[in-house]
């Protein structure tokens, strides 16, 4: 069995978790899917463009020592040497333009690699172009982990719900705001809530992207683009921060059994026009989205064929996010 | 485009709903999946084995008039003339042996048809044989609608969760008992609850199969067989009826916020040994399975890759069940 060549563009927590997962699942990947693999390329802003055509030693790669790598000056050179069968892109999000990730993914697809991203930007800003390029190149462009980490959203529609039509969407898609709102319900301050989310590893140093609804907005736009085949610009989404909520308001709402969540909502009218919002909303605890606690996430789809379908991902962790990329990889290669 | 030949073995409410759905979705099936179809065979106990190789008139088929059909004396003759590309089997369940559906499905697969069933019996009693036969014949044997009607369960694992391992399962898989228990929580009698479920079209004339847990047991065995690749006989499941519950007990449980549901539960130990039960259990309303109302269904999967994933199907109807068969059909042909 000739091993597939895997390359990593971006190699932070998610990329490293994916390497550990590939190691842990290697027997199963070989036996159930005929997948053997080696890592021939890694690129980050700090390390530069590195390749090792015989395959990096995985332990050294994870520790960053004795890499025995060739260095390259551009993605083009790097791709030519590392020759990925599958490229995993996990660079950081640019919510305004999706760049430079879009250029990277374009180069990867044009080099013939199945191209898998955890990055919402390219899905929101370049889904059409990149999927058409991939179709023409006979490769896959997949991005399952962008919305609910490991829980299936795009593959759910693509593979399990053929010919079903989305009629509306409601989601609790952001862990950081869940954790902050719950801390404040328990009487703590916004800042203490942010710290709690940071300690859980779900919030960035600057939490604005999450608390001001940008993360949820990008996810809602990605769902709209891919599942509805409709364009929705992040600036078209009515977006309200959770910052205006006070602990007293949140405590009262929780006591009433109708806690606040940062809800991503898409309404689709009969004429197929859309209204999209990301804002704090109260939801009863005995509804699936109101029952969400901690870092859990939920997506609620109204459909023509099933009145509604809810998917809840309970307490996803770093491994779960990495698994979303692994699932895309298996689906590309099988 | 040469139309695919579809045949229906069993033609009750679900089969008829599927025909109406095929008509409603015909443009989308043609445009998105390249599927044109005609119905060349229908068989029921009452009508016998009927074929029309040029395709039945759909309106006449639904009304049962002017069928202009050839009649046959056995499934073998019928298959030889009707030559299905896809066969939909919706005959009634035999919970003890799965017969005669297993023999029918075997004949269909051997005749080269993609073979789709809404019948749990063959999945529980003949999954290995029928899937191996289908693999050898280059056809698909699919059964998505057997557990949660239209909500993906088997395709969820097959297509969207590759290499993920099931660690445990909890489900509310039976609508009839949900409706009866809720009626009794509202102070009505068991018999009134049965009547309410019958009026909703979810309960049989004899509700024993549902209220005594057979339906949920068969579903749990199907999940175990297909997703865990383990054998679990219906007689190995600890099974308790909802009959022993009184309105007073149910009202008290609901008031406490911990209503009773007929819960299907599979515990998997570290050594992979299993304990399975179908019995009334109290679940808090602010947990996803406790939030289930009316005819809604829920499945909660514990996994190695995601701590847990819940899928809720809200108020599925007859069209939803038919859609489960349609989804299998599209997945067979694409």
């Amino acid at each position: 069995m000739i091993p597939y060549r895997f390359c990593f563009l971006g190699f932070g927590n998610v990329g490293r978790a994916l390497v550990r997962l590939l190691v842990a699942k290697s027997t199963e990947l070989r036996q159930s899917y005929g997948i053997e693999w080696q890592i021939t390329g890694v690129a980050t802003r700090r390390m530069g463009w590195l390749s090792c055509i015989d395959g990096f030693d995985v332990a050294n790669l994870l520790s960053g020592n004795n890499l025995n790598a060739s260095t390259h000056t551009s993605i083009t050179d790097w791709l030519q040497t590392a020759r990925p069968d599958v490229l995993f892109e996990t660079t950081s999000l640019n919510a305004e333009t999706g760049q430079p990730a879009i250029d990277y993914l374009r180069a990867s697809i044009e080099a013939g690699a199945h191209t898998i991203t955890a990055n919402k930007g390219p899905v929101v800003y370049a889904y059409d172009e990149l999927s058409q390029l991939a179709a023409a190149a006979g490769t896959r462009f997949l991005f399952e982990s962008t919305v609910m980490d490991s829980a299936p959203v795009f593959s759910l529609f693509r593979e399990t719900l053929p010919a079903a039509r989305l009629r509306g969407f409601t989601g609790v898609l952001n862990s950081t705001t869940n954790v902050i709102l719950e801390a404040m319900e328990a009487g703590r301050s916004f800042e203490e809530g942010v710290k709690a989310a940071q300690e859980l590893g779900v919030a960035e140093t600057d939490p604005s992207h999450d608390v001001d609804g940008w993360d949820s907005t990008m996810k809602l736009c990605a769902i709209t683009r891919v599942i509805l085949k409709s364009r929705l610009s992040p600036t078209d989404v009515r977006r309200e921060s959770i910052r205006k909520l006070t602990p007293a308001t949140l405590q009262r709402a929780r006591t009433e059994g109708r806690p606040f969540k940062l809800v991503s909502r898409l309404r689709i009218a009969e004429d197929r026009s859309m209204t999209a919002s990301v804002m704090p909303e109260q939801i009863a605890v005995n509804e699936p989205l109101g029952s969400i606690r901690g870092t859990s996430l939920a997506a609620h789809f109204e459909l023509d064929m099933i009145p509604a379908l809810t998917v809840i991902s309970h307490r996803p962790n770093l491994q779960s996010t990495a698994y979303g990329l692994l699932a895309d990889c298996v689906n590309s290669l099988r």
Side-chain angles (χ1 to χ4, degrees), chain A:
Chain A
M1 218 184 276
I2 299 172
Y4 290 106
R5 292 180 296 272
F6 290 173
C7 288
F8 289 75
L9 214 170
F11 199 60
N13 289 336
V14 173
R16 288 161 196 277
L18 176 55
V19 171
R20 284 189 290 269
L21 189 55
L22 285 165
V23 172
K25 287 276 180 187
S26 57
T27 307
E28 189 163 353
L29 289 173
R30 186 172 53 244
Q31 289 176 352
S32 302
Y33 301 97
I35 297 175
E36 291 258 26
W37 55 274
Q38 58 179 355
I39 299 171
T40 58
V42 175
T44 70
R45 210 173 306 183
R46 196 176 54 79
M47 297 159 80
W49 303 98
L50 304 182
S51 74
C52 179
I53 191 60
D54 296 326
F56 285 102
D57 178 276
V58 169
N60 290 348
L61 189 61
L62 289 172
S63 69
N65 298 321
N66 304 313
L67 280 186
N68 193 23
S70 306
T71 58
H72 305 271
T73 54
S74 73
I75 186 168
T76 316
D77 286 353
W78 180 68
L79 289 170
Q80 268 173 7
T81 304
R83 291 189 295 139
D85 295 302
V86 180
L87 179 133
F88 299 100
E89 191 265 326
T90 57
T91 67
S92 48
L93 171 67
N94 174 331
E96 276 85 54
T97 67
Q99 288 291 17
I102 294 171
D103 289 340
Y104 293 155
L105 297 178
R106 190 187 293 119
S108 168
I109 293 167
E110 286 175 343
H114 297 301
T115 298
I116 294 165
T117 183
N119 194 328
K120 292 172 280 293
V123 181
V124 172
Y125 292 110
Y127 169 72
D128 280 359
E129 182 204 344
L130 295 174
S131 359
Q132 284 161 18
L133 261 186
T139 69
R140 304 294 298 271
F141 167 54
L142 297 176
F143 37 79
E144 192 56 66
S145 60
T146 53
V147 170
M148 292 243 290
D149 300 328
S150 46
V153 173
F154 299 114
S155 60
L156 188 79
F157 275 80
R158 194 177 67 231
E159 311 291 348
T160 78
L161 297 171
R165 183 165 293 173
L166 190 63
R167 289 268 172 88
F169 174 81
T170 323
V172 174
L173 301 178
N174 182 269
S175 303
T176 300
T177 48
N178 282 346
V179 172
I180 295 171
L181 292 173
E182 279 190 60
M184 293 171 74
E185 286 166 5
R188 288 190 277 167
S189 69
F190 176 81
E191 289 70 24
E192 288 168 325
V194 171
K195 188 167 279 181
Q198 285 165 341
E199 282 164 9
L200 285 170
V202 295
E204 304 291 323
T205 315
D206 173 5
S208 313
H209 182 70
D210 290 321
V211 301
D212 296 336
W214 281 111
D215 175 72
S216 298
T217 294
M218 292 294 282
K219 288 171 172 171
L220 192 58
C221 291
I223 287 173
T224 307
R225 190 75 210 90
V226 178
I227 297 177
L228 276 173
K229 313 276 178 238
S230 296
R231 271 171 213 287
L232 176 69
S233 162
T235 53
D236 294 336
V237 178
R238 176 178 167 191
R239 190 174 44 74
E240 286 181 20
S241 175
I242 63 162
R243 292 185 202 262
K244 62 171 186 182
L245 296 166
T246 63
T249 307
L250 292 170
Q251 277 175 291
R252 196 166 49 240
R254 168 65 68 185
T255 308
E256 285 168 4
R258 302 189 66 240
F260 277 94
K261 302 283 165 194
L262 184 62
V263 173
S264 303
R265 189 180 288 279
L266 188 68
R267 287 197 176 83
I268 304 166
E270 281 298 318
D271 65 359
R272 306 198 70 183
S273 65
M274 296 181 301
T275 323
S277 62
V278 168
M279 50 196 286
E281 292 186 28
Q282 285 186 272
I283 308 186
V285 290
N286 62 358
E287 289 184 38
L289 265 57
S291 76
I292 295 302
R293 304 297 299 248
T295 58
S296 299
L297 302 172
H300 180 79
F301 304 97
E302 294 158 48
L303 301 163
D304 61 343
M305 293 290 100
I306 312 174
L309 195 67
T310 307
V311 177
I312 302 173
S313 176
H314 298 268
R315 307 175 308 284
N317 48 35
L318 193 56
Q319 178 182 271
S320 306
T321 307
Y323 173 71
L325 295 159
L326 178 70
D328 280 344
C329 172
V330 173
N331 277 332
S332 296
L333 294 174
R334 70 173 165 183

mmCIF file with all atom_site columns, all heavy atoms in Angstrom, chain A residues 218-235:
data_model
loop_
_atom_site.group_PDB
_atom_site.id
_atom_site.type_symbol
_atom_site.label_atom_id
_atom_site.label_alt_id
_atom_site.label_comp_id
_atom_site.label_asym_id
_atom_site.label_entity_id
_atom_site.label_seq_id
_atom_site.pdbx_PDB_ins_code
_atom_site.Cartn_x
_atom_site.Cartn_y
_atom_site.Cartn_z
_atom_site.occupancy
_atom_site.B_iso_or_equiv
_atom_site.pdbx_formal_charge
_atom_site.auth_seq_id
_atom_site.auth_comp_id
_atom_site.auth_asym_id
_atom_site.auth_atom_id
_atom_site.pdbx_PDB_model_num
ATOM 1   N N   . MET A 1 218 ? -20.350 34.269 10.556 1.00 0.00 ? 218 MET A N   1
ATOM 2   C CA  . MET A 1 218 ? -19.627 33.570 9.485  1.00 0.00 ? 218 MET A CA  1
ATOM 3   C C   . MET A 1 218 ? -20.186 32.148 9.314  1.00 0.00 ? 218 MET A C   1
ATOM 4   O O   . MET A 1 218 ? -20.309 31.646 8.197  1.00 0.00 ? 218 MET A O   1
ATOM 5   C CB  . MET A 1 218 ? -18.130 33.514 9.805  1.00 0.00 ? 218 MET A CB  1
ATOM 6   C CG  . MET A 1 218 ? -17.426 34.864 9.779  1.00 0.00 ? 218 MET A CG  1
ATOM 7   S SD  . MET A 1 218 ? -17.364 35.622 8.130  1.00 0.00 ? 218 MET A SD  1
ATOM 8   C CE  . MET A 1 218 ? -16.030 34.683 7.380  1.00 0.00 ? 218 MET A CE  1
ATOM 9   N N   . LYS A 1 219 ? -20.520 31.507 10.423 1.00 0.00 ? 219 LYS A N   1
ATOM 10  C CA  . LYS A 1 219 ? -21.072 30.148 10.344 1.00 0.00 ? 219 LYS A CA  1
ATOM 11  C C   . LYS A 1 219 ? -22.439 30.156 9.649  1.00 0.00 ? 219 LYS A C   1
ATOM 12  O O   . LYS A 1 219 ? -22.732 29.291 8.826  1.00 0.00 ? 219 LYS A O   1
ATOM 13  C CB  . LYS A 1 219 ? -21.164 29.541 11.745 1.00 0.00 ? 219 LYS A CB  1
ATOM 14  C CG  . LYS A 1 219 ? -19.783 29.188 12.308 1.00 0.00 ? 219 LYS A CG  1
ATOM 15  C CD  . LYS A 1 219 ? -19.824 28.792 13.774 1.00 0.00 ? 219 LYS A CD  1
ATOM 16  C CE  . LYS A 1 219 ? -18.441 28.274 14.198 1.00 0.00 ? 219 LYS A CE  1
ATOM 17  N NZ  . LYS A 1 219 ? -18.351 28.062 15.658 1.00 0.00 ? 219 LYS A NZ  1
ATOM 18  N N   . LEU A 1 220 ? -23.261 31.140 9.992  1.00 0.00 ? 220 LEU A N   1
ATOM 19  C CA  . LEU A 1 220 ? -24.579 31.247 9.361  1.00 0.00 ? 220 LEU A CA  1
ATOM 20  C C   . LEU A 1 220 ? -24.429 31.506 7.857  1.00 0.00 ? 220 LEU A C   1
ATOM 21  O O   . LEU A 1 220 ? -25.171 30.938 7.041  1.00 0.00 ? 220 LEU A O   1
ATOM 22  C CB  . LEU A 1 220 ? -25.366 32.382 10.035 1.00 0.00 ? 220 LEU A CB  1
ATOM 23  C CG  . LEU A 1 220 ? -26.854 32.475 9.732  1.00 0.00 ? 220 LEU A CG  1
ATOM 24  C CD1 . LEU A 1 220 ? -27.581 31.197 10.109 1.00 0.00 ? 220 LEU A CD1 1
ATOM 25  C CD2 . LEU A 1 220 ? -27.479 33.653 10.482 1.00 0.00 ? 220 LEU A CD2 1
ATOM 26  N N   . CYS A 1 221 ? -23.462 32.348 7.494  1.00 0.00 ? 221 CYS A N   1
ATOM 27  C CA  . CYS A 1 221 ? -23.229 32.621 6.067  1.00 0.00 ? 221 CYS A CA  1
ATOM 28  C C   . CYS A 1 221 ? -22.730 31.368 5.346  1.00 0.00 ? 221 CYS A C   1
ATOM 29  O O   . CYS A 1 221 ? -23.113 31.116 4.194  1.00 0.00 ? 221 CYS A O   1
ATOM 30  C CB  . CYS A 1 221 ? -22.226 33.758 5.900  1.00 0.00 ? 221 CYS A CB  1
ATOM 31  S SG  . CYS A 1 221 ? -22.876 35.354 6.427  1.00 0.00 ? 221 CYS A SG  1
ATOM 32  N N   . ALA A 1 222 ? -21.897 30.576 6.014  1.00 0.00 ? 222 ALA A N   1
ATOM 33  C CA  . ALA A 1 222 ? -21.398 29.347 5.392  1.00 0.00 ? 222 ALA A CA  1
ATOM 34  C C   . ALA A 1 222 ? -22.548 28.365 5.143  1.00 0.00 ? 222 ALA A C   1
ATOM 35  O O   . ALA A 1 222 ? -22.670 27.772 4.068  1.00 0.00 ? 222 ALA A O   1
ATOM 36  C CB  . ALA A 1 222 ? -20.321 28.702 6.271  1.00 0.00 ? 222 ALA A CB  1
ATOM 37  N N   . ILE A 1 223 ? -23.428 28.204 6.130  1.00 0.00 ? 223 ILE A N   1
ATOM 38  C CA  . ILE A 1 223 ? -24.593 27.314 5.958  1.00 0.00 ? 223 ILE A CA  1
ATOM 39  C C   . ILE A 1 223 ? -25.455 27.795 4.796  1.00 0.00 ? 223 ILE A C   1
ATOM 40  O O   . ILE A 1 223 ? -25.904 27.010 3.957  1.00 0.00 ? 223 ILE A O   1
ATOM 41  C CB  . ILE A 1 223 ? -25.417 27.268 7.270  1.00 0.00 ? 223 ILE A CB  1
ATOM 42  C CG1 . ILE A 1 223 ? -24.656 26.457 8.327  1.00 0.00 ? 223 ILE A CG1 1
ATOM 43  C CG2 . ILE A 1 223 ? -26.815 26.697 7.039  1.00 0.00 ? 223 ILE A CG2 1
ATOM 44  C CD1 . ILE A 1 223 ? -25.293 26.492 9.705  1.00 0.00 ? 223 ILE A CD1 1
ATOM 45  N N   . THR A 1 224 ? -25.703 29.092 4.747  1.00 0.00 ? 224 THR A N   1
ATOM 46  C CA  . THR A 1 224 ? -26.549 29.657 3.699  1.00 0.00 ? 224 THR A CA  1
ATOM 47  C C   . THR A 1 224 ? -25.932 29.435 2.322  1.00 0.00 ? 224 THR A C   1
ATOM 48  O O   . THR A 1 224 ? -26.603 29.030 1.375  1.00 0.00 ? 224 THR A O   1
ATOM 49  C CB  . THR A 1 224 ? -26.739 31.168 3.943  1.00 0.00 ? 224 THR A CB  1
ATOM 50  O OG1 . THR A 1 224 ? -27.199 31.345 5.270  1.00 0.00 ? 224 THR A OG1 1
ATOM 51  C CG2 . THR A 1 224 ? -27.745 31.753 2.983  1.00 0.00 ? 224 THR A CG2 1
ATOM 52  N N   . ARG A 1 225 ? -24.633 29.675 2.249  1.00 0.00 ? 225 ARG A N   1
ATOM 53  C CA  . ARG A 1 225 ? -23.936 29.534 0.960  1.00 0.00 ? 225 ARG A CA  1
ATOM 54  C C   . ARG A 1 225 ? -23.968 28.099 0.453  1.00 0.00 ? 225 ARG A C   1
ATOM 55  O O   . ARG A 1 225 ? -24.224 27.841 -0.719 1.00 0.00 ? 225 ARG A O   1
ATOM 56  C CB  . ARG A 1 225 ? -22.465 29.978 1.151  1.00 0.00 ? 225 ARG A CB  1
ATOM 57  C CG  . ARG A 1 225 ? -21.709 30.120 -0.121 1.00 0.00 ? 225 ARG A CG  1
ATOM 58  C CD  . ARG A 1 225 ? -22.129 31.400 -0.833 1.00 0.00 ? 225 ARG A CD  1
ATOM 59  N NE  . ARG A 1 225 ? -22.031 31.303 -2.281 1.00 0.00 ? 225 ARG A NE  1
ATOM 60  C CZ  . ARG A 1 225 ? -23.006 30.881 -3.071 1.00 0.00 ? 225 ARG A CZ  1
ATOM 61  N NH1 . ARG A 1 225 ? -24.174 30.503 -2.582 1.00 0.00 ? 225 ARG A NH1 1
ATOM 62  N NH2 . ARG A 1 225 ? -22.841 30.841 -4.362 1.00 0.00 ? 225 ARG A NH2 1
ATOM 63  N N   . VAL A 1 226 ? -23.696 27.159 1.339  1.00 0.00 ? 226 VAL A N   1
ATOM 64  C CA  . VAL A 1 226 ? -23.496 25.775 0.911  1.00 0.00 ? 226 VAL A CA  1
ATOM 65  C C   . VAL A 1 226 ? -24.819 25.007 0.844  1.00 0.00 ? 226 VAL A C   1
ATOM 66  O O   . VAL A 1 226 ? -25.102 24.337 -0.146 1.00 0.00 ? 226 VAL A O   1
ATOM 67  C CB  . VAL A 1 226 ? -22.501 25.052 1.846  1.00 0.00 ? 226 VAL A CB  1
ATOM 68  C CG1 . VAL A 1 226 ? -22.330 23.598 1.439  1.00 0.00 ? 226 VAL A CG1 1
ATOM 69  C CG2 . VAL A 1 226 ? -21.165 25.783 1.838  1.00 0.00 ? 226 VAL A CG2 1
ATOM 70  N N   . ILE A 1 227 ? -25.631 25.121 1.872  1.00 0.00 ? 227 ILE A N   1
ATOM 71  C CA  . ILE A 1 227 ? -26.843 24.294 1.915  1.00 0.00 ? 227 ILE A CA  1
ATOM 72  C C   . ILE A 1 227 ? -27.967 24.935 1.110  1.00 0.00 ? 227 ILE A C   1
ATOM 73  O O   . ILE A 1 227 ? -28.718 24.248 0.424  1.00 0.00 ? 227 ILE A O   1
ATOM 74  C CB  . ILE A 1 227 ? -27.270 24.030 3.374  1.00 0.00 ? 227 ILE A CB  1
ATOM 75  C CG1 . ILE A 1 227 ? -26.161 23.240 4.080  1.00 0.00 ? 227 ILE A CG1 1
ATOM 76  C CG2 . ILE A 1 227 ? -28.599 23.270 3.436  1.00 0.00 ? 227 ILE A CG2 1
ATOM 77  C CD1 . ILE A 1 227 ? -26.404 22.958 5.538  1.00 0.00 ? 227 ILE A CD1 1
ATOM 78  N N   . LEU A 1 228 ? -28.086 26.257 1.186  1.00 0.00 ? 228 LEU A N   1
ATOM 79  C CA  . LEU A 1 228 ? -29.159 26.928 0.441  1.00 0.00 ? 228 LEU A CA  1
ATOM 80  C C   . LEU A 1 228 ? -28.717 27.399 -0.932 1.00 0.00 ? 228 LEU A C   1
ATOM 81  O O   . LEU A 1 228 ? -29.534 27.862 -1.715 1.00 0.00 ? 228 LEU A O   1
ATOM 82  C CB  . LEU A 1 228 ? -29.657 28.141 1.221  1.00 0.00 ? 228 LEU A CB  1
ATOM 83  C CG  . LEU A 1 228 ? -30.704 27.881 2.279  1.00 0.00 ? 228 LEU A CG  1
ATOM 84  C CD1 . LEU A 1 228 ? -30.946 29.148 3.068  1.00 0.00 ? 228 LEU A CD1 1
ATOM 85  C CD2 . LEU A 1 228 ? -31.998 27.382 1.649  1.00 0.00 ? 228 LEU A CD2 1
ATOM 86  N N   . LYS A 1 229 ? -27.408 27.320 -1.198 1.00 0.00 ? 229 LYS A N   1
ATOM 87  C CA  . LYS A 1 229 ? -26.865 27.843 -2.465 1.00 0.00 ? 229 LYS A CA  1
ATOM 88  C C   . LYS A 1 229 ? -27.258 29.311 -2.666 1.00 0.00 ? 229 LYS A C   1
ATOM 89  O O   . LYS A 1 229 ? -27.515 29.752 -3.786 1.00 0.00 ? 229 LYS A O   1
ATOM 90  C CB  . LYS A 1 229 ? -27.353 27.026 -3.678 1.00 0.00 ? 229 LYS A CB  1
ATOM 91  C CG  . LYS A 1 229 ? -27.258 25.519 -3.527 1.00 0.00 ? 229 LYS A CG  1
ATOM 92  C CD  . LYS A 1 229 ? -25.898 24.997 -3.868 1.00 0.00 ? 229 LYS A CD  1
ATOM 93  C CE  . LYS A 1 229 ? -25.781 23.485 -3.678 1.00 0.00 ? 229 LYS A CE  1
ATOM 94  N NZ  . LYS A 1 229 ? -24.701 23.128 -2.732 1.00 0.00 ? 229 LYS A NZ  1
ATOM 95  N N   . SER A 1 230 ? -27.327 30.053 -1.562 1.00 0.00 ? 230 SER A N   1
ATOM 96  C CA  . SER A 1 230 ? -27.672 31.477 -1.645 1.00 0.00 ? 230 SER A CA  1
ATOM 97  C C   . SER A 1 230 ? -26.547 32.297 -1.050 1.00 0.00 ? 230 SER A C   1
ATOM 98  O O   . SER A 1 230 ? -25.870 31.856 -0.132 1.00 0.00 ? 230 SER A O   1
ATOM 99  C CB  . SER A 1 230 ? -28.943 31.764 -0.840 1.00 0.00 ? 230 SER A CB  1
ATOM 100 O OG  . SER A 1 230 ? -30.024 31.078 -1.391 1.00 0.00 ? 230 SER A OG  1
ATOM 101 N N   . ARG A 1 231 ? -26.389 33.477 -1.558 1.00 0.00 ? 231 ARG A N   1
ATOM 102 C CA  . ARG A 1 231 ? -25.381 34.364 -1.020 1.00 0.00 ? 231 ARG A CA  1
ATOM 103 C C   . ARG A 1 231 ? -25.952 35.132 0.153  1.00 0.00 ? 231 ARG A C   1
ATOM 104 O O   . ARG A 1 231 ? -27.048 35.661 0.081  1.00 0.00 ? 231 ARG A O   1
ATOM 105 C CB  . ARG A 1 231 ? -24.942 35.368 -2.092 1.00 0.00 ? 231 ARG A CB  1
ATOM 106 C CG  . ARG A 1 231 ? -23.816 34.867 -2.922 1.00 0.00 ? 231 ARG A CG  1
ATOM 107 C CD  . ARG A 1 231 ? -23.542 35.778 -4.098 1.00 0.00 ? 231 ARG A CD  1
ATOM 108 N NE  . ARG A 1 231 ? -23.096 34.962 -5.198 1.00 0.00 ? 231 ARG A NE  1
ATOM 109 C CZ  . ARG A 1 231 ? -21.892 34.398 -5.250 1.00 0.00 ? 231 ARG A CZ  1
ATOM 110 N NH1 . ARG A 1 231 ? -21.041 34.579 -4.273 1.00 0.00 ? 231 ARG A NH1 1
ATOM 111 N NH2 . ARG A 1 231 ? -21.558 33.654 -6.274 1.00 0.00 ? 231 ARG A NH2 1
ATOM 112 N N   . LEU A 1 232 ? -25.186 35.180 1.227  1.00 0.00 ? 232 LEU A N   1
ATOM 113 C CA  . LEU A 1 232 ? -25.550 36.007 2.377  1.00 0.00 ? 232 LEU A CA  1
ATOM 114 C C   . LEU A 1 232 ? -24.240 36.598 2.859  1.00 0.00 ? 232 LEU A C   1
ATOM 115 O O   . LEU A 1 232 ? -23.332 35.872 3.252  1.00 0.00 ? 232 LEU A O   1
ATOM 116 C CB  . LEU A 1 232 ? -26.198 35.137 3.461  1.00 0.00 ? 232 LEU A CB  1
ATOM 117 C CG  . LEU A 1 232 ? -26.560 35.834 4.775  1.00 0.00 ? 232 LEU A CG  1
ATOM 118 C CD1 . LEU A 1 232 ? -27.718 36.808 4.573  1.00 0.00 ? 232 LEU A CD1 1
ATOM 119 C CD2 . LEU A 1 232 ? -26.943 34.802 5.835  1.00 0.00 ? 232 LEU A CD2 1
ATOM 120 N N   . SER A 1 233 ? -24.124 37.903 2.750  1.00 0.00 ? 233 SER A N   1
ATOM 121 C CA  . SER A 1 233 ? -22.885 38.546 3.175  1.00 0.00 ? 233 SER A CA  1
ATOM 122 C C   . SER A 1 233 ? -22.929 38.750 4.688  1.00 0.00 ? 233 SER A C   1
ATOM 123 O O   . SER A 1 233 ? -23.998 39.033 5.251  1.00 0.00 ? 233 SER A O   1
ATOM 124 C CB  . SER A 1 233 ? -22.748 39.889 2.458  1.00 0.00 ? 233 SER A CB  1
ATOM 125 O OG  . SER A 1 233 ? -21.822 40.688 3.141  1.00 0.00 ? 233 SER A OG  1
ATOM 126 N N   . PRO A 1 234 ? -21.786 38.616 5.371  1.00 0.00 ? 234 PRO A N   1
ATOM 127 C CA  . PRO A 1 234 ? -21.771 38.860 6.818  1.00 0.00 ? 234 PRO A CA  1
ATOM 128 C C   . PRO A 1 234 ? -22.383 40.213 7.183  1.00 0.00 ? 234 PRO A C   1
ATOM 129 O O   . PRO A 1 234 ? -23.029 40.332 8.224  1.00 0.00 ? 234 PRO A O   1
ATOM 130 C CB  . PRO A 1 234 ? -20.277 38.808 7.153  1.00 0.00 ? 234 PRO A CB  1
ATOM 131 C CG  . PRO A 1 234 ? -19.695 37.875 6.130  1.00 0.00 ? 234 PRO A CG  1
ATOM 132 C CD  . PRO A 1 234 ? -20.477 38.130 4.875  1.00 0.00 ? 234 PRO A CD  1
ATOM 133 N N   . THR A 1 235 ? -22.245 41.201 6.306  1.00 0.00 ? 235 THR A N   1
ATOM 134 C CA  . THR A 1 235 ? -22.813 42.516 6.622  1.00 0.00 ? 235 THR A CA  1
ATOM 135 C C   . THR A 1 235 ? -24.337 42.559 6.459  1.00 0.00 ? 235 THR A C   1
ATOM 136 O O   . THR A 1 235 ? -24.988 43.503 6.898  1.00 0.00 ? 235 THR A O   1
ATOM 137 C CB  . THR A 1 235 ? -22.178 43.609 5.737  1.00 0.00 ? 235 THR A CB  1
ATOM 138 O OG1 . THR A 1 235 ? -22.305 43.200 4.368  1.00 0.00 ? 235 THR A OG1 1
ATOM 139 C CG2 . THR A 1 235 ? -20.704 43.794 6.058  1.00 0.00 ? 235 THR A CG2 1
#
